[in-house]
Amino acid sequence: QGHVFTYDPGFTSTASCQSTITYIDGDEGVLLHRGYPIEQLAEKSHYLEVCYLLLYGDLPTAEQLEDFENRVTKHTMLHEQMQYFYRGFRRDSHPMAIMVGVVGAMSAFYHDSLDINDPWHREVASIRMIAKMPTIAAWAYKYSIGQPFIYPRNDLDYASNFLHMCFAVPAEEYVVNPILARAMDRIFTLHADHEQNASTSTVRLASSSGANPFACIAAGIACLWGPAHGGANQACLEMLREIGTPDRIPEYIERAKDKNDPFRLMGFGHRVYKNYDPRAKVMKQSADEVLELLGIENNPTLQVAKELERIALQDDYFQEKKLFPNVDFYSGIILDAMGFPTSMFTPIFAVARTVGWISQWKEQLSDPEHKIGRPRQLYMGHPRRDYVDIENR
Ligand code: SDX
């Protein structure tokens, strides 16, 4: 309740908010969503059921889940006019740039009819965001490769629909591989929410001013893009490819330890986890399963990743700094095996995290004590001084 944390400069701060959605114990490597361990949710649940849990606080009955899934399915299409936003971007635009723009533009299409002070309107906005993000991301991918947009299909589950919109073409039938669909759904689940990370805090801060949900989510997407945050999955696979072979790993380990070298091991370390990120464990198992089922278990990038992890975890520096693989270390290997370019890794993270952002947006607005976020600072600049005319400077 209003925990007080003392930071190095000797000043204290209070927790940014109170929440009942996600709990992390960084020292023990524990992640709970409404009390349920992420390992159990990844194994036994599926993404839309986890969305229900995050949004409403409990696991749904069969009837509640069917109703929720139907409501999401019925809102997966975008307003046809929104296609014109895509056509204004250069073809080589990063899909995250397109997503920031298109989601922000949703404010012009869906917000005018919404009163965010009305709980029912907040519910409608929540369902729309979760439903439309896969279509927005898939169309950003299709636009970047010059292929026609593929519309969502109501006969496919959430993950299969996303894969179909990304990889189907009008010229021939595309059948979604169930192995990839299960892996895609698990990746969505593992990225659903993560307490007050940078992008979620951005969404909460924006929502505290009363900004509409689409503008708040657009702000979260922009923050997630950074390579220290959600952009790490793209940066990590690019790093693993640059390393190329296990014999080059020691060179990169030494660079990561060199304080004069800005290089960081992508996919390693975390602001909160000082133990193994529980999501990374599940992701590593999933990478093994998917690549074996696809017959590419000897994927050289996976071999480099496993050897890099083995060497780093034995290294004194990494042990002293308590640096472990995080959620981004293995996710890119699976997404690459699915056929996604690295530029789509962070958009996929954004699709998955939308439910976390929206759940926390709703919680922020439903808090009777919620006020506009107004962080203070420790002023370290000049004391008061008088203006000096230019001829006297
Ligand atoms: C995500 O907050 C969330 O919940 C985020 C996320 C989510 O689900 O929303 O979990 C998703 O963003 C995961 C993180 C993805 N980012 C990366 O993988 C990029 C590589 N990681 C680093 O940039 C870094 O680990 C951070 C930014 C994630 C955390 O850096 P901090 O705050 O410096 O971590 P720290 O204080 O624990 O670091 C301790 C020391 C520091 O050195 P000293 O200042 O003590 O000398 O370890 C060093 C750091 O410089 N360090 C690293 C390192 N990570 C930290 N050194 C080399 N390689 C690394 N990866």
Side-chain angles (χ1 to χ4, degrees), residues 212-230:
N212 75 74
F214 310 106
C216 293
I217 299 298
I221 295 171
C223 178
L224 185 75
W225 194 0
H229 187 13

Side-chain angles (χ1 to χ4, degrees), residues 24 194 197-199 224 227-230 232 256-257 259 263-274 277 279 317-318 321 323 326-328 349 353:
I24 299 174
H194 209 238
N197 57 85
S199 55
L224 185 75
H229 187 13
K257 292 156 63 174
K259 280 299 157 208
F263 172 74
R264 286 278 184 281
L265 269 190
M266 291 290 110
F268 253 80
H270 199 276
R271 290 309 308 259
V272 177
Y273 287 123
K274 302 312 167 190
D277 182 334
R279 302 169 296 175
Y317 173 90
F318 286 83
K321 303 288 185 183
L323 303 177
N326 59 46
V327 70
D328 298 304
F349 193 152
R353 187 51 58 87

Side-chain angles (χ1 to χ4, degrees), residues 69-345:
E69 291 183 338
N70 287 339
R71 284 192 291 144
V72 170
T73 300
K74 297 294 186 202
H75 282 93
T76 50
M77 285 203 348
L78 289 182
H79 190 295
E80 196 69 357
Q81 287 286 107
M82 294 200 75
Q83 292 195 25
Y84 295 106
F85 287 111
Y86 289 85
R87 305 194 194 290
F89 286 94
R90 287 172 34 148
R91 286 283 180 185
D92 60 356
S93 302
H94 194 292
M96 284 297 277
I98 296 176
M99 288 185 74
V100 170
V102 171
V103 172
M106 287 176 76
S107 306
F109 281 80
Y110 300 105
H111 166 59
D112 297 346
S113 59
L114 285 177
D115 169 11
I116 60 169
N117 297 308
D118 178 334
W120 173 246
H121 285 195
R122 292 203 291 267
E123 172 71 13
V124 167
S126 304
I127 296 293
R128 275 178 173 156
M129 267 317 332
I130 292 166
K132 296 179 191 304
M133 280 295 268
T135 310
I136 291 168
W139 285 13
Y141 172 54
K142 283 304 202 185
Y143 183 74
S144 72
I145 59 175
Q147 287 189 359
F149 295 134
I150 299 296
Y151 288 96
R153 278 178 37 183
N154 292 353
D155 63 322
L156 296 177
D157 63 68
Y158 195 86
S160 299
N161 208 4
F162 176 65
L163 292 172
H164 185 265
M165 288 188 284
C166 288
F167 298 124
V169 290
E172 59 189 23
E173 189 189 9
Y174 174 83
V175 178
V176 177
N177 180 331
I179 299 167
L180 300 189
R182 179 69 190 125
M184 187 79 260
D185 189 274
R186 182 173 290 173
I187 286 175
F188 284 152
T189 296
L190 292 171
H191 288 84
D193 188 50
H194 209 238
E195 201 223 64
Q196 303 313 312
N197 57 85
S199 55
T200 299
S201 299
T202 300
V203 170
R204 273 195 176 252
L205 200 57
S207 70
S208 72
S209 74
N212 75 74
F214 310 106
C216 293
I217 299 298
I221 295 171
C223 178
L224 185 75
W225 194 0
H229 187 13
N233 51 18
Q234 173 174 353
C236 181
L237 190 79
E238 289 164 355
M239 173 192 75
L240 293 171
R241 283 177 172 161
E242 182 185 321
I243 294 172
T245 52
D247 63 300
R248 297 189 67 210
I249 290 171
E251 169 196 340
Y252 284 82
I253 293 279
E254 291 314 305
R255 282 189 58 196
K257 292 156 63 174
D258 179 357
K259 280 299 157 208
N260 299 316
D261 187 332
F263 172 74
R264 286 278 184 281
L265 269 190
M266 291 290 110
F268 253 80
H270 199 276
R271 290 309 308 259
V272 177
Y273 287 123
K274 302 312 167 190
N275 203 322
Y276 212 106
D277 182 334
R279 302 169 296 175
K281 285 181 185 169
V282 180
M283 202 71 83
K284 181 177 181 180
Q285 291 164 5
S286 198
D288 280 334
E289 288 168 16
V290 171
L291 272 64
E292 184 178 350
L293 289 168
L294 294 175
I296 50 176
E297 61 274 16
N298 296 320
N299 174 302
T301 309
L302 179 61
Q303 303 316 315
V304 169
K306 287 184 171 181
E307 182 63 5
L308 172 57
E309 176 189 351
R310 187 189 67 78
I311 296 173
L313 293 185
Q314 290 177 351
D315 186 281
D316 293 343
Y317 173 90
F318 286 83
Q319 287 180 5
E320 176 208 329
K321 303 288 185 183
K322 297 184 178 180
L323 303 177
F324 294 85
N326 59 46
V327 70
D328 298 304
F329 191 65
Y330 285 103
S331 58
I333 292 167
I334 304 172
L335 295 173
D336 175 55
M338 288 178 175
F340 287 107
T342 57
S343 60
M344 277 300 291
F345 291 5

